[in-house]
Amino acid sequence: MERKKFFLDPPKTLVLGFATIILIGAFLLTMPISTVNGKGLTFLNALFTATSATCVTGLVVVDTGTTFTIFGQLVILSLIQIGGLGFMTFATLFAFLLGKRISLKERILLQESLNNLSMEGIVRLAKRILIFTGVIELTGAVILSIRFSFDMPIGKAIYYGIFHSISNFNNAGFDIIGNFKSLTGYVDDPTVVLTICSLITLGGIGFIVMNELFEYRISKRLSLHTKVVLVTSAILLLAGTIGIFVLEYSNEKTLKPLSFLGKVLGALFQSVTARTAGANTISIGDMTQSSLFLIVFLMFVGASPGSTGGGIKTTTFATLLGAVWSQIRGKEDVVFYRQRIGYETIYKALTVTLSGLFLVIIMTMLLTITEPGKDFLSLLFETTSAFGTVGLSMGITPDLSNLGKGLIIFTMFAGRVGPLTIAFAVTIRRNPDAFRYPKGKIMIG
C-alpha cells in the first residue's frame, strides 16, 4: 500500500523529470566556470537557457558562442541531448550499461515518453533510437567538420561540427558561431544547408517512423502513422519552401542579393527550420510580414510524434484536415489510406490543437502587457516559437523583461512535455464516467 501511495503516474514522472533536469542545468550554468567572464549567469537567465536547451528550443537571452566557456557549452549540449531523446531513453541506456532489467513501470514511462501506441517492443525501440542517434549525429558531425575545416583550425572545426550536428538533429537550434549570427554566413553553402536540413528532418519525423523505414527492406510495409507523417511532412516542407521563396524573392534584406541556387537554399532552410529546429540562414527580423506569418503557422504545426521536435504535430494537423474534409463531403468517417480514424483520435487531435492555441493566445496577450514596447507580430512569433520548441526569433529574446522571460520559460516547458501531459499531471484522478447523459442538440455554423 505504501508503494502505491508514492507511485507517480507517467505524466507526473515526465513533468518532474524534465523539471529536475532543467534545474540541475540552471544550477551548473550559474557557476563561474560556465561563463567567459567568470561570474556565471544570473539564475533567471540560467533557468531560461537550461529550459531552452532541455526543451530543445534554441531561444537565447545571451549569445551561446561568446558567453559560455567550453564547460558551459558542454552543459548546454548535454541538456540538448537528454531533452531531445528524453530522459527515460537515457535512463534505459544506463540500465543497459549496468546490465539491469527494464521494469514494467519503466516500460510504461518509455511508452509515454516516446508517444508510442503500444508497449510491445518498446525496449528494442529504445535501443534502436540510441543507435540511430549515434550514427546520424556522427555522420553529420564528420561532414560539418570537414566543411568547417576550410574556415577554421581543424580542432575547432571538429568541435563545431559535433556541436551543430547534435544541436540540429535534436531540433534545438543552438549555435556557437557567435554574435547571434546563427548560420547566416552559410546561406548559399549547399554542404552546410543540406546537411543540417537532413539532420533536422531526420530528428523531426520521429523515431517510430525512422524505425519503420529501417525495417522496410524486410517488412515491405509502412503503418498508417508513418504514411501520414511522411506525406504531411513533405507537403508542409514543399509549401513552406515555395511560399518563402515567392514572398522573399524581391526582399533586399533576405533572398534578393543571392543567386538562384542561394535563393532556393535559403527558402528551403527556413522552411525546414520552422518545423521546430531554430537555426536560421537569413535574418528572421528582416523577413516580410507575410513570410513571418507563414513561419508562425509552420512552427505551430511543428514536427511529428515521438520526435525531438514540438508543435501540435503533423499527424494532429492531418487528422483535423481529414475531419474537415469529411464534413464538407458529408461523410461520417475520417479515412486515410482505406483505414478509418477513430473518434477518440479526432477528439485528442482537437484537444491538443485547442490547448496549444489557447496557450499561445494567452501567453501572447500576457506578453503584450509585460513588453509594452514590442510589436504584436514579434510577440506572437516569440510565443509560437517557444510553444513549438523552435527557437526562431525576431531578435527580441535578450530584451525581454524578467516577467516576459518567465512566461517564455513556461511556454517552452509546456511545448516540450505537452499541454495535455501537464494537465494530466496536475489532475488528481481521471476516471471514465459511470453513466451517459441523454443526447442534446445545438446548432453549429
Side-chain angles (χ1 to χ4, degrees), residues 37-49:
N37 63 11
K39 298 179 180 179
L41 291 182
T42 63
F43 179 74
L44 181 61
N45 284 345
L47 182 64
F48 190 104
T49 305

Side-chain angles (χ1 to χ4, degrees), residues 129-147:
I129 288 171
L130 294 169
I131 294 171
F132 291 153
T133 299
V135 171
I136 294 169
E137 288 181 351
L138 179 61
T139 303
V142 169
I143 296 172
L144 291 175
S145 297
I146 293 172
R147 173 61 190 87

Side-chain angles (χ1 to χ4, degrees), residues 28-29 31 33-35 68-76 159:
L28 291 173
L29 293 177
M31 297 173 63
I33 193 177
S34 293
T35 57
F68 296 102
T69 60
I70 297 295
F71 176 82
Q73 291 173 5
L74 291 178
V75 169
I76 290 171
Y159 177 59

